[in-house]
Amino acid sequence: MNLNIEVAWTRLQSMLQGLIAALPNIVIGLAVFMLFLFLSRTVAAAVQSVALRTGQARGIALVFSRIAAWGVLVVGGLISLIIMIPSLNAGSLFGALGVSGVAIGFAFKDIFQNLLAGILILVTRPFRIGDQIVSGAHEGTVEDIQVRATLLRTYDNRQVVIPNSELYTNRVVVNTAYDRRRLAVVVGIGFGDDIRQAKGIILNTLRGLDLVRQDPAPAVFIREYGESAVNLEVRFWIDPPVRREVIEAEDQVLEALKPALLDAGIDLPFPTQQVLFHDQTEETDGDREQQREGWPARTQNPRSRQALLREASLHQSGDQAQP
């Protein structure tokens, strides 16, 4: 037992002596790494400034500055390791990195894929920081295009982190790609109303709205014959096409169209349902050989309610005529 304690104590003393001997190297290595950390920030700022001066987009400048900063940090980390561990030379370090390169590549395949996709997005510029896009079930404003992912801020103030590879390989709708946007609202009028008159009233109303562009001019088309109304599709253009202006323009158009149509006597019908019994509407409704609802014909047809009421009235009048 004493022998084991002496051996353990000896090893502990040797470890402490080695740590004390390595302290200067550790301090110098940490100081060198801190120097490279400061240098990485300086290099990142310089790269970003140069990229912006050459006319590159802010997103491209950010990514290039981050890549440059990472490169400086990697070099600083390798140099710090060599200083702190003198037995570790550059040849053995790069040899170990080469052996483990394949494993690292497989482990970080998704990261490298997103990195490449992020660079391609910034170079090809399908959308930029500040654009409003739709990606799958998410819609919002692009706040940042990072190396791994793109940050999207939804209209209800939530943040969505979308991998760059997903944005690069899937469909993306850019709502703010152009300086104007066409909107459409549907207005239903009654079947008995004059369609031409309704179209003229709608177009005259849109001419007085400040959020609606007159070039291209608004247009009105018959969309469909609905169950209770003739649905007209009102198309108009706005600028700029951001989400807030879209909501405000639609609100202004719908608010102005209702009183204009009602003042002109145009009906704005709402869905209704009519239930008809086969013995209460017409003479032929009870006759399955003549009725229009498509029931199969038969020889013994029930009498309609109108016929029964008429016969009862005649019978009552005949009884009153008798002395």
Side-chain angles (χ1 to χ4, degrees):
M1 187 67 179
N2 294 332
L3 181 60
N4 294 334
I5 294 176
E6 291 179 358
V7 172
W9 177 252
T10 303
R11 291 180 178 177
L12 181 59
Q13 285 181 337
S14 63
M15 291 175 60
L16 290 175
Q17 291 176 358
L19 179 61
I20 294 173
L23 277 178
N25 294 335
I26 295 175
V27 173
I28 296 174
L30 291 176
V32 170
F33 184 77
M34 295 300 295
L35 178 62
F36 272 92
L37 181 62
F38 175 77
L39 182 62
S40 66
R41 296 178 180 178
T42 304
V43 171
V47 170
Q48 183 176 358
S49 177
V50 171
L52 292 176
R53 289 179 182 177
T54 56
Q56 300 296 329
R58 187 165 64 93
I60 296 179
L62 284 174
V63 170
F64 285 165
S65 64
R66 290 168 182 169
I67 293 176
W70 288 1
V72 173
L73 285 178
V74 169
V75 174
L78 295 177
I79 295 175
S80 299
L81 285 176
I82 294 175
I83 293 174
M84 289 186 291
I85 307 175
S87 60
L88 183 66
N89 54 35
S92 61
L93 183 60
F94 284 105
L97 291 177
V99 171
S100 59
V102 177
I104 294 175
F106 280 108
F108 295 94
K109 180 183 67 173
D110 293 337
I111 296 178
F112 294 148
Q113 183 178 2
N114 290 323
L115 171 63
L116 180 59
I119 295 176
L120 291 176
I121 288 175
L122 291 170
V123 172
T124 58
R125 299 184 185 181
F127 55 86
R128 304 177 183 181
I129 296 176
D131 279 336
Q132 294 182 349
I133 66 173
V134 181
S135 175
H138 306 293
E139 180 177 357
T141 304
V142 178
E143 286 199 325
D144 192 8
I145 303 176
Q146 299 179 351
V147 176
R148 189 192 68 85
T150 296
L151 302 183
L152 191 69
R153 183 173 185 175
T154 62
Y155 301 130
D156 54 356
N157 202 29
R158 294 184 296 171
Q159 187 179 79
V160 181
V161 181
I162 305 177
N164 290 329
S165 59
E166 180 178 338
L167 289 175
Y168 189 76
T169 56
N170 296 332
R171 295 180 180 89
V172 177
V173 179
V174 184
N175 291 331
T176 53
Y178 304 104
D179 58 349
R180 58 190 179 186
R181 180 177 175 181
R182 194 191 74 185
L183 304 178
V185 296
V186 177
V187 178
I189 64 174
F191 281 96
D193 295 324
D194 189 340
I195 297 178
R196 291 176 180 262
Q197 179 188 6
K199 287 184 176 181
I201 294 172
I202 292 173
L203 293 177
N204 289 332
T205 304
L206 293 182
R207 291 190 185 99
L209 302 180
D210 55 344
L211 296 181
V212 177
R213 289 178 56 96
Q214 301 304 317
D215 183 23
V220 184
F221 302 95
I222 299 178
R223 179 70 176 271
E224 61 179 354
Y225 294 118
E227 295 181 356
S228 58
V230 179
N231 293 324
L232 304 179
E233 183 175 347
V234 183
R235 298 179 179 179
F236 55 94
W237 294 80
I238 66 169
D239 55 350
V242 297
R243 180 67 175 176
R244 183 183 64 187
E245 277 74 11
V246 170
I247 298 298
E248 292 177 352
E250 291 177 344
D251 175 77
Q252 187 182 53
V253 169
L254 292 174
E255 184 179 358
L257 288 182
K258 179 181 177 181
L261 292 172
L262 292 179
D263 292 343
I266 303 297
D267 188 21
L268 299 178
F270 51 86
T272 58
Q273 246 184 358
Q274 186 177 12
V275 180
L276 300 177
F277 295 96
H278 294 290
D279 61 346
Q280 72 178 30
T281 54
E282 300 177 2
E283 287 284 349
T284 59
D285 281 348
D287 187 356
R288 294 191 178 181
E289 294 180 352
Q290 302 183 37
Q291 66 186 16
R292 297 173 297 176
E293 282 81 3
W295 288 82
R298 68 179 185 180
T299 56
Q300 299 295 330
N301 297 309
R303 304 296 300 279
S304 67
R305 182 176 297 182
Q306 292 182 359
L308 293 175
L309 292 175
R310 185 172 59 253
E311 291 178 1
S313 177
L314 292 174
H315 181 70
Q316 184 179 3
S317 62
D319 292 340
Q320 293 177 356
Q322 292 180 0

